[in-house]
Amino acid sequence: MRQLRRAGLRRLTTIVAPAGYGKTSLAVQWYELLKEDGVKLCWVSLDAEHTNQEAFLLALIDALQTLLHEDGADAGNLPAAALLSVLATRLRKIEGPLVVFLDDYHFAQTDATEALMAKILADLSLEHVKLVLVSRSPPRFPLSALRLRGEFKQFGVAELGFTDAEAGELFAGKGTHLTEEQVGSFNRRTEGWAVALQMVSLLVSESEESDSILASFDGGGADMGSYLSEQVFEHLPEDIRDFLIGTAALPAFNHSLLEAVLKSKEQADLSERLADYALPVTLLAGPGNWMRFHPVFNEFLKKTASRRGIDANLALNRAAHWFEAQGDIDRAVHHALSAGDANLAARIVETAGGWRRVYATTRGGATLFQALSGRASEIDLVRFPLATLGLSIFNAKAAQLAAANHYLVIAERAAAADPSLAKDLRVVRILLALYTDHWATAADLSALEDDLRQPDGMELIHRALALNMLSYNFLIRSELDRALHYGHLAIRAFRDGGADFGAMHLYTHIGQAFFLSGDCVSALSAYEELICEAQTNIGPGSDLDAVGQVLKAEVLSMRGEAEPAAEMLGWALPHLELHDTWFDLLAAGFMAEQRVLRMREDLLAAHAAMDRIRAVARRRGFDRLTRLIDGERAMLLMASGDLDQAIRHAEANGFGMQTIVSDRANTLAIHLRGATPAIFWTRVYLALGETAKAREVFDQFRMRQSQRPHVPRAIELALIEIGILLAEGRADLAAASLSDLVLTTPLDDYRALLHLDHSAGLGELRALANHPTVANVPRKRLQSLLASGETVHEPAVDDGGYAFTGRERMVLELLSSGLSNKEIGRNLALSDNTIKFHLRNIFAKLNVSTRTAAVTAARQKGMLDR
């Protein structure tokens, strides 16, 4: 301990030695001393289930909750890269120094977890975090940089092993006839092995032949441990021996667990007598008074229990039930699987909500269902349909679509005999349609709406996911008002259920619905909320950050802001191409990238980008994305003047002339982006000068639409109509249509459609803007919009030079009403962390540090009603 004190807190301290050298005992003592000094501490006990990256990171995130004093977010549903960002973000929230003890690190030590440790240690923003690894094997990640900076200290056998003098102190008063030389000789033979010395000290205190015990043993390593354990064990009272072998299977225990496992308070009380015999039992750090047997002693106890026919699975089984009763589903499942009872594990998951556990908070469903998936062949899955649906979702998120469908079919078989499962089956089936890029049926959506009207028995997360699915499916059907309605309800439901990451996904649906409705300002606000929350809760560069950046770039590119859009797409779109995503996000990114490249007139790069995205579509099995790319390729060839090649490409890739009359291929309500065959051939006939054919195809195409097109599509169609009118020599009608377009649509936000439209070139539109029938106001707007090379930039909201965003103004208004962060968040359907983010910005802009001062300053500047 003196050496640890002298060494002080380093970026990395390792306590490395074989089993039995008192590593954990030393770490616990150091933990308690640091606790007395007021240092922030975190203890993480690792085992074999933490070899998986997600499980390893979740264990660390879970352990931090007591320090953050906030509810655990649903981090268990994120991939490893995102979890690492979440961990780093939460570590940054804790003012240092923070000492994190990783006990039994060797159990979790793999190349994957070592890589994570290397990243954490290389992060300069986490230098206040001090790591202590307690392990039987040294770390394998690079340590040279830490050594050079003096930030690494290792304690090994040399420091942990007893010296001859220390061994003499241990034996003092036990077998007084032992000489100093005998004790020193034995200590050197055992290399100062603490557990061996401890057990021998127990033996000599009970024996008249202590010197012969020392002299008779000349084994080493495991043999010594087994021999000494047996000798100690045989000298214990019978009730203690029975207690030890009856609990040997438990990885750790406390009094409450022992009562449940041993079915007797009196037997559980025996744990309090273990100290009387100085047995090798370690008290673990943290709450609950958890203990465990020393590994060397524990291994002997397990073998002894097995030889005596003690069923280890019985204790593990009872422990699983106890953990389930405590609400610790993860440990309950772990003990059930350790007991060899995969069906019990599945039953525990089933009872705890089944598939809903995928969205569980903190230690979440990803690792839980990964453990179940590995033992699925042992489970009677038909008995546990809710857990089986969880396996389906887990595999879909992991892009194992065949396995996801396999589990879905099994769950459907179970649901056929149990109508009460219909709601669960329906929402999961619709969710899987998103991942597999298939359309949910109208009947399923209607039934899902009926489910929400009768919410009895529907858990909050179930309700939130159902609302999410309705929002998404109405979005892709262009029913934008319903998409927005259900999207806002879903955000509120996810927030109420503590699933902030689920809520964040809703910004994608809401933002797209606003964008397609013609409200680009609200769309950008939604995407900025997504980016803000992703960076605050996960960290910059995460999947959700990339999603927000790609969708924001779609809006900016449509507004003609090519450079900021290109900057976002430069990293975010390739990120999405490699990570978990769905069709609409890739489609949005692809179209935004094409607009940027065509505004730059870099047609070669546009073709290369199509090749790249087409490979992604093929790899993911997104046929709709492949079709979108093929249509845009034909349009790009036509735009570059190669009309014959454009037609040949269209004919060869499903955009042939015969598809003009296909309702499915031309229904705009389900083709939110890109060309359809009818649009392509209308443009082709205009380019060929066959105006009558262009008019015929276009009019029939418009007549077949059962829904009103969304705003950007309506602008596109209006421009095509203007092009046809000009080709027909009807300039007066074309000018009137152009005036209507300017006055009835937010054309400023979709000006890329003007600059990239093929039916009415910029020159023709400029000439049309000066037509005598065009009034002065629309003419000036058109002249501004059609100015070559100009771009639009969103004006800042001016609050006396403070440039507050619309969301910050809303937060400030609610703050002035005396609402708390949680109340403000509930009013705006935002998380606590997002509200804190906005308040920091407000304080900085007003140069204040308190809520009261912010309100006072805002009132003085006329930003709030007095």
Side-chain angles (χ1 to χ4, degrees):
M1 287 306 302
R2 284 194 297 270
Q3 291 185 52
L4 282 171
R5 284 285 202 180
R6 283 198 301 270
L9 295 176
R10 307 287 181 98
R11 190 76 169 86
L12 175 66
T13 302
T14 62
I15 303 175
V16 178
Y21 274 89
K23 300 182 296 296
T24 299
S25 296
L26 176 63
V28 168
Q29 290 178 54
W30 193 20
Y31 178 97
E32 293 299 331
L33 285 174
L34 291 172
K35 186 177 180 180
E36 291 176 8
D37 293 341
V39 177
K40 294 185 179 69
L41 300 167
C42 178
W43 184 280
V44 185
S45 295
L46 300 168
D47 55 39
E49 72 176 15
H50 296 117
T51 53
N52 171 272
Q53 281 191 327
E54 287 83 0
F56 181 81
L57 290 166
L58 283 168
L60 270 65
I61 291 170
D62 187 28
L64 290 176
Q65 293 310 312
T66 54
L67 292 171
L68 290 169
H69 304 296
E70 61 184 38
D71 295 334
D74 52 333
N77 196 31
L78 299 175
L83 285 173
L84 181 59
S85 294
V86 171
L87 175 63
T89 299
R90 295 187 182 181
L91 287 170
R92 292 185 197 106
K93 292 180 182 178
I94 301 170
E95 294 183 2
L98 164 66
V99 184
V100 180
F101 287 79
L102 299 179
D103 189 27
D104 285 336
Y105 175 72
H106 52 275
F107 283 130
Q109 192 174 20
T110 63
D111 290 344
T113 53
E114 293 276 83
L116 293 176
M117 293 297 296
K119 289 178 180 178
I120 293 170
L121 287 165
D123 191 337
L124 297 179
S125 69
L126 299 179
E127 289 196 335
H128 67 290
V129 180
K130 314 300 180 182
L131 297 176
V132 179
L133 302 189
V134 183
S135 177
R136 295 181 196 172
S137 55
R140 297 187 295 271
F141 49 79
L143 298 169
S144 54
L146 291 172
R147 279 198 175 97
L148 286 172
R149 300 202 309 267
E151 286 292 333
F152 171 64
K153 181 66 177 178
Q154 178 167 327
F155 293 86
V157 171
E159 291 80 16
L160 293 171
F162 276 52
T163 64
D164 288 354
E166 289 168 339
E169 290 179 22
L170 178 68
F171 279 82
K174 300 177 181 180
T176 53
H177 56 283
L178 285 177
T179 66
E180 184 177 324
E181 183 180 347
Q182 287 174 311
V183 172
S185 173
F186 182 77
N187 185 56
R188 288 188 292 276
R189 274 189 288 149
T190 63
E191 297 181 336
W193 192 17
V195 73
L197 292 168
Q198 181 184 3
M199 287 193 283
V200 167
S201 72
L202 296 176
L203 291 175
V204 298
S205 65
E206 299 289 336
S207 173
E208 297 293 331
E209 302 175 354
S210 52
D211 53 346
S212 62
I213 290 174
L214 267 64
S216 64
F217 185 75
D218 59 0
D223 291 338
M224 179 186 292
S226 180
Y227 170 80
L228 291 174
S229 295
E230 181 178 359
Q231 294 300 310
V232 169
F233 183 78
E234 291 302 324
H235 285 82
L236 295 172
E238 185 176 353
D239 58 346
I240 296 295
R241 291 203 301 267
D242 290 342
F243 170 86
L244 293 173
I245 61 175
T247 57
L250 299 175
F253 54 87
N254 65 9
H255 193 276
S256 297
L257 175 60
L258 290 174
E259 279 193 50
V261 169
L262 299 173
K263 301 291 185 182
S264 166
K265 181 180 184 304
E266 289 71 20
Q267 284 190 289
D269 289 342
L270 291 174
S271 62
E272 299 171 7
R273 290 174 52 195
L274 298 181
D276 297 341
Y277 301 96
L279 292 172
V281 179
T282 300
L283 179 65
L284 302 179
N289 295 318
W290 288 89
M291 296 177 282
R292 71 175 182 198
F293 297 120
H294 191 281
V296 174
F297 191 51
N298 189 221
E299 190 60 32
F300 163 78
L301 294 177
K302 288 179 180 178
K303 290 178 179 177
T304 303
S306 178
R307 285 197 303 271
R308 295 192 180 188
I310 303 296
D311 184 4
N313 291 337
L314 178 61
L316 291 167
N317 187 289
R318 289 175 177 174
H321 284 91
W322 183 84
F323 278 113
E324 181 186 17
Q326 305 304 308
D328 193 337
I329 304 303
D330 301 270
R331 288 193 176 92
V333 169
H334 172 69
H335 280 75
L337 293 176
S338 297
D341 196 342
N343 279 293
L344 172 60
R347 201 277 301 152
I348 291 170
V349 173
E350 183 86 0
T351 305
W355 61 268
R356 299 174 193 85
R357 298 296 304 181
V358 174
Y359 301 94
T361 58
T362 316
R363 282 184 293 156
T367 54
L368 191 67
F369 282 98
Q370 183 175 46
L372 272 191
S373 185
R375 303 281 288 274
S377 61
E378 304 171 32
I379 302 171
D380 183 0
L381 294 171
V382 177
R383 289 171 52 200
F384 311 110
L386 298 180
T388 304
L389 287 173
L391 289 171
S392 182
I393 296 173
F394 168 75
N395 280 277
K397 287 179 173 292
Q400 303 295 326
L401 301 182
N405 283 321
H406 166 72
Y407 290 122
L408 180 63
V409 169
I410 294 173
E412 286 175 332
R413 197 183 310 149
D418 186 354
S420 67
L421 297 171
K423 292 181 180 180
D424 297 273
L425 183 62
R426 187 157 32 247
V427 71
V428 173
R429 187 164 54 221
I430 294 172
L431 175 66
L432 258 62
L434 183 152
Y435 281 97
T436 57
D437 196 30
H438 290 96
W439 280 73
T441 67
D444 265 348
L445 294 181
S446 179
L448 197 57
E449 287 187 294
D450 289 339
D451 292 343
L452 288 165
R453 294 188 192 102
Q454 303 167 3
D456 293 343
M458 182 180 279
E459 293 183 14
L460 198 55
I461 292 299
H462 185 164
R463 175 178 172 79
L465 185 61
L467 291 165
N468 182 1
M469 290 299 97
L470 285 172
S471 178
Y472 173 74
N473 279 279
F474 285 126
L475 169 68
I476 63 176
R477 286 164 169 78
S478 292
E479 297 186 46
L480 304 178
D481 288 342
R482 297 174 81 182
L484 286 168
H485 169 71
Y486 285 119
H488 285 115
L489 290 177
I491 283 186
R492 178 65 58 81
F494 273 120
R495 298 278 191 224
D496 290 346
D500 282 345
F501 292 109
M504 287 159 64
H505 281 89
L506 267 298
Y507 289 123
T508 68
H509 309 338
I510 289 173
Q512 289 180 85
F514 277 130
F515 170 65
L516 299 175
S517 298
D519 187 352
C520 285
V521 172
S522 294
L524 286 172
S525 178
Y527 299 148
E528 284 160 4
E529 293 292 353
L530 172 58
I531 293 166
C532 165
E533 290 200 22
Q535 293 185 354
T536 301
N537 295 321
I538 303 175
S542 66
D543 288 2
L544 281 171
D545 186 13
V547 167
Q549 303 280 356
V550 163
L551 290 173
K552 185 176 180 181
E554 179 179 37
V555 180
L556 295 179
S557 67
M558 188 64 88
R559 294 171 67 170
E561 299 182 41
E563 294 314 310
E567 185 178 350
M568 294 174 184
L569 291 169
W571 74 267
L573 184 55
H575 182 101
L576 287 193
E577 291 168 13
L578 295 173
H579 294 79
D580 178 35
T581 188
W582 55 94
F583 162 78
D584 301 86
L585 303 182
L586 289 175
F590 164 70
M591 294 298 291
E593 185 178 44
Q594 287 297 306
R595 274 192 290 274
V596 167
L597 293 172
R598 288 180 56 195
M599 280 189 278
R600 291 173 169 175
E601 299 183 352
D602 194 345
L603 301 187
L604 285 177
H607 280 290
M610 286 182 178
D611 293 337
R612 188 192 77 244
I613 298 279
R614 203 175 197 282
V616 175
R618 187 167 56 249
R619 186 174 71 247
R620 290 178 177 265
F622 287 173
D623 294 336
R624 281 198 297 158
L625 184 56
T626 301
R627 183 172 178 78
L628 175 67
I629 295 165
D630 287 339
E632 289 306 297
R633 176 94 71 183
M635 299 288 284
L636 183 61
L637 289 167
M638 181 165 50
S640 60
D642 198 343
L643 189 58
D644 290 340
Q645 180 62 30
I647 293 172
R648 285 196 297 272
H649 178 83
E651 293 282 4
N653 291 280
F655 277 75
M657 198 180 301
Q658 70 278 9
T659 60
I660 290 174
V661 295
S662 166
D663 285 338
R664 182 70 181 173
N666 291 285
T667 300
L668 295 180
I670 60 175
H671 293 287
L672 302 184
R673 299 172 174 87
T676 70
I679 289 175
F680 171 75
W681 284 100
T682 297
R683 293 182 183 280
V684 167
Y685 288 134
L686 278 174
L688 291 171
E690 300 182 33
T691 307
K693 284 187 176 180
R695 168 62 72 185
E696 179 185 3
V697 171
F698 187 67
D699 286 349
Q700 289 183 3
F701 164 64
R702 294 288 295 269
M703 288 175 59
R704 286 198 299 268
Q705 302 305 315
S706 60
Q707 285 181 228
R708 187 177 178 181
H710 60 63
V711 169
R713 184 71 84 182
I715 293 172
E716 178 189 10
L717 297 181
L719 290 170
I720 295 174
E721 172 79 19
I722 290 167
I724 296 174
L725 289 170
L726 287 172
E728 292 171 335
R730 303 160 74 185
D732 289 355
L733 286 176
S737 295
L738 186 57
S739 291
D740 287 344
L741 186 64
V742 173
L743 295 172
T744 60
T745 63
L747 206 53
D748 293 49
D749 286 331
Y750 301 91
R751 73 163 58 191
L753 293 172
L754 287 171
H755 289 266
L756 301 177
D757 190 82
H758 317 294
S759 303
L762 285 177
E764 291 177 305
L765 290 175
R766 289 192 187 100
L768 202 57
N770 293 314
H771 193 277
T773 62
V774 177
N776 190 45
V777 171
R779 177 183 294 115
K780 288 183 176 179
R781 284 194 64 200
L782 278 167
Q783 288 171 344
S784 173
L785 285 167
L786 296 170
S788 179
E790 289 188 5
T791 59
V792 177
H793 297 279
E794 181 185 4
V797 178
D798 185 20
D799 291 300
Y802 290 86
F804 278 81
T805 67
R807 185 67 80 184
E808 287 168 356
R809 290 178 63 83
M810 294 169 71
V811 171
L812 194 52
E813 289 284 350
L814 292 170
L815 184 67
S816 70
S817 300
L819 299 186
S820 67
N821 286 4
K822 283 188 178 294
E823 290 168 331
I824 295 172
R826 184 162 181 80
N827 272 277
L828 299 178
L830 301 175
S831 71
D832 289 352
N833 284 330
T834 303
I835 299 303
K836 291 175 185 174
F837 177 85
H838 288 311
L839 287 175
R840 282 199 301 272
N841 289 342
I842 290 168
F843 290 173
K845 290 176 181 179
L846 293 174
N847 194 26
V848 298
S849 58
T850 67
R851 301 160 71 90
T852 303
V855 172
T856 302
R859 284 182 175 145
Q860 289 172 348
K861 298 176 188 303
M863 296 164 56
L864 292 171
D865 294 334
R866 293 185 179 271

